Amino acid sequence: MVALKLSNLRYLLILFVLLAGLPFRASGQEATIVGTVTDPSGAAVANAKITLTNMETTISRIFTTNDSGQYVAVDMHIGHYNVKAEASGFKVAEQKDLALQVGDRTRVDFQLALGAATETVTVEANAVRVQADSGEVSNVIDGSQIENLSINGRGIYQLAALAPGASSQIDTTAPNTPVGGSAGVEYNGLRQNHNIYLLDGGEDDDRGGAGGMSIAPSPDAIAEFRTLTSNYSADYGLSSAGTNVL
């Protein structure tokens, strides 16, 4: 009886550890927004309130700038957002219709104008997106592109071959089944078995099967497909070649 209780306790402990680790693995599927809030002179505005509202779900999250006027909004679901900055003695500033893609690290800075908080300065158009916060080299295929691209046999991993620097070794004659798929792509001359695929934050590689995929999801189930080929952050440190995030 004692042995049975100990066995049950052991299983419960293992289950708890696995469940506790899920949010950290899934975070690789989310996006991050960073920024700095300043006044008209360029000085930092501390304790400014940053409100991010998902336009699809209407769910809002609130962050506060630090003493340097900086904020970091992590684990943001992909989608479209309105970003609003508020501080005492300044007009409210708002950036509308900001598009977040899987794995993005997007900068949204605000320079607040002096005035009453009842006044709002709104930026309707998105500026040209230039990634200045990292040297990451990546490529994103969004949902509408996935829907309209002609994929031979509906093999989702053929999208991996569309990134710059990719050399496809995919066997297009092999069947694409729900429990496997041909994903033979080399990036920048590195070996294909040094790539990794992350599906909903979890590793999708069958390491005991010579580099094959554990799951080959339907293209209809994929919102976006991002390929990181160089200089990506330690968040994606499981591979030494390409990292594909689905």
Side-chain angles (χ1 to χ4, degrees):
M1 186 60 126
V2 174
L4 181 60
K5 289 183 177 180
L6 289 175
S7 178
N8 290 338
L9 183 61
R10 186 182 302 113
Y11 287 129
L12 287 173
L13 181 60
I14 293 173
L15 180 61
F16 173 79
V17 171
L18 290 175
L19 291 176
L22 285 176
F24 296 98
R25 296 184 63 83
S27 65
Q29 293 298 110
E30 309 299 347
T32 300
I33 299 176
V34 301
T36 303
V37 179
T38 58
D39 63 17
S41 70
V45 177
N47 298 316
K49 177 183 175 183
I50 308 296
T51 305
L52 295 94
T53 303
N54 187 305
M55 298 170 61
E56 286 84 11
T57 65
T58 70
I59 295 175
S60 296
R61 295 180 61 185
I62 297 174
F63 300 85
T64 304
T65 59
N66 61 15
D67 292 341
S68 300
Q70 299 173 339
Y71 71 93
V72 179
V74 298
D75 295 341
M76 305 299 298
H77 293 298
I78 60 175
H80 292 80
Y81 285 82
N82 290 341
V83 186
K84 183 167 62 175
E86 304 171 80
S88 178
F90 296 94
K91 297 178 182 179
V92 176
E94 187 172 15
Q95 164 98 38
K96 289 191 172 182
D97 200 21
L98 174 71
L100 283 187
Q101 296 176 319
V102 60
D104 268 353
R105 184 178 177 86
T106 300
R107 173 169 288 276
V108 180
D109 295 329
F110 291 98
Q111 185 169 59
L112 301 182
L114 295 173
T118 55
E119 300 177 271
T120 302
V121 178
T122 303
V123 179
E124 295 285 354
N126 287 331
V128 177
R129 299 183 65 185
V130 177
Q131 175 56 272
D133 292 288
S134 80
E136 172 190 296
V137 178
S138 64
N139 179 68
V140 176
I141 301 174
D142 62 31
S144 63
Q145 292 172 317
I146 294 174
E147 182 179 343
N148 290 286
L149 285 170
S150 296
I151 304 175
N152 185 18
R154 289 174 58 81
I156 191 68
Y157 295 107
Q158 293 184 44
L159 297 175
L162 300 181
S167 175
S168 177
Q169 311 296 323
I170 293 177
D171 181 4
T172 57
T173 65
N176 186 67
T177 64
V179 290
S182 179
V185 179
E186 296 175 353
Y187 296 107
N188 303 323
L190 299 173
R191 294 183 179 181
Q192 66 184 51
N193 59 350
H194 289 178
N195 298 333
I196 192 169
Y197 291 79
L198 301 176
L199 178 61
D200 285 341
E203 186 177 344
D204 189 27
D205 291 82
D206 180 7
R207 294 188 180 271
M213 299 301 101
S214 300
I215 301 173
S218 165
D220 302 324
I222 302 300
E224 292 179 348
F225 191 108
R226 178 183 287 272
T227 300
L228 304 97
T229 57
S230 181
N231 288 348
Y232 40 83
S233 71
D235 295 344
Y236 304 100
L238 292 174
S239 68
S240 59
T243 296
N244 291 282
V245 184
L246 290 74

